[in-house]
Amino acid sequence: MKLVYVFDAYCGWSHGFSATLREIVARHPGLPVEVISGGLFTGPRRVPIREFGHVQGANAHIAELTGAEFGEAYERLIADGSFVMDSEAAARGVAALRRTAPDRAPELAAAVQHAFYVDGLSLSEASTYRAVAEAAGLDADAVISAFQDPEASYAAAEDFHRAAELGVSGFPTLLAVDGNAVTSLARGHATADEVDQRLAALATA
């Protein structure tokens, strides 16, 4: 069995779920975790952030429920309103980091979200992934090369396709996959204890 975490780097609820995922990974070090990017802001949804009027209210709710941090630099982006979230670019960045350190994918996904939601950095810029890579002790040049490689676009498209194949339409979603059996462990929000209870139920089923 493995866990499959489907998230979007520009999804506030995914940012809020980072602490739960980190705890689950720590509790189950031998359980493989596959990280897949969703396509929340693609096509016609790539518009200035001001067009999503619910963002600040949603973030306040996420912070209250999960304890997630939303930094001052990010808040300035929201206040300005002109920033465009592009999930395809973010998925390329996640794919580049995942390719460089596949065993650290959950940790790196959370670091990418921290770069946006706390540090206010664009996930379309190579410099953001350089900063994430350097902070994680990775070969930053290799990460940037992977981000800029056309293969990253294919990887992003494959992620979006895989999420759809799994029937995931909301982020974040945490699944348990055992052969052809796919079980939802969490969607949107859950505590590590709640996820563990569902995992335990699977083990005894």
Side-chain angles (χ1 to χ4, degrees):
M1 185 178 72
K2 68 177 178 179
L3 300 182
V4 177
Y5 178 56
V6 188
F7 87 120
D8 191 282
Y10 279 125
C11 168
W13 284 103
S14 295
H15 176 51
F17 195 78
S18 293
T20 293
L21 184 64
R22 183 166 54 248
E23 180 63 22
I24 290 298
V25 170
R27 291 183 186 184
H28 304 277
L31 192 58
V33 183
E34 179 184 359
V35 175
I36 298 173
S37 292
L40 186 57
F41 298 104
T42 59
R45 284 179 61 81
R46 282 185 286 200
V47 295
I49 204 167
R50 69 170 65 90
E51 298 198 20
F52 300 99
H54 63 283
V55 170
Q56 287 174 310
N59 289 346
H61 183 48
I62 293 165
E64 181 180 4
L65 192 62
T66 70
E69 178 186 359
F70 294 86
E72 291 183 7
Y74 165 77
E75 295 291 353
R76 287 194 293 271
L77 274 185
I78 297 295
D80 174 75
S82 62
F83 183 78
V84 176
M85 296 180 289
D86 181 351
S87 291
E88 194 274 342
R92 285 192 287 117
V94 171
L97 289 160
R98 189 176 61 201
R99 178 174 160 185
T100 307
D103 58 329
R104 296 173 66 186
E107 166 200 344
L108 294 169
V112 168
Q113 295 215 277
H114 188 280
F116 176 62
Y117 281 105
V118 179
D119 300 331
L121 301 178
S122 169
L123 303 183
S124 294
E125 300 295 331
S127 58
T128 297
Y129 301 102
R130 179 174 294 281
V132 170
E134 289 176 347
L138 301 178
D139 182 339
D141 289 338
V143 170
I144 298 306
S145 178
F147 175 65
Q148 295 171 336
D149 191 312
E151 180 63 31
S153 293
Y154 297 127
E158 287 175 4
D159 273 17
F160 298 164
H161 180 67
R162 175 105 165 99
E165 275 190 331
L166 289 166
V168 175
S169 58
F171 313 111
T173 294
L174 183 65
L175 305 170
V177 178
D178 191 359
N180 292 324
V182 179
T183 304
S184 178
L185 299 174
R187 179 174 175 178
H189 170 67
T191 65
D193 286 343
E194 288 169 339
V195 172
D196 260 354
Q197 289 170 7
R198 292 161 194 163
L199 277 172
L202 274 180
T204 57

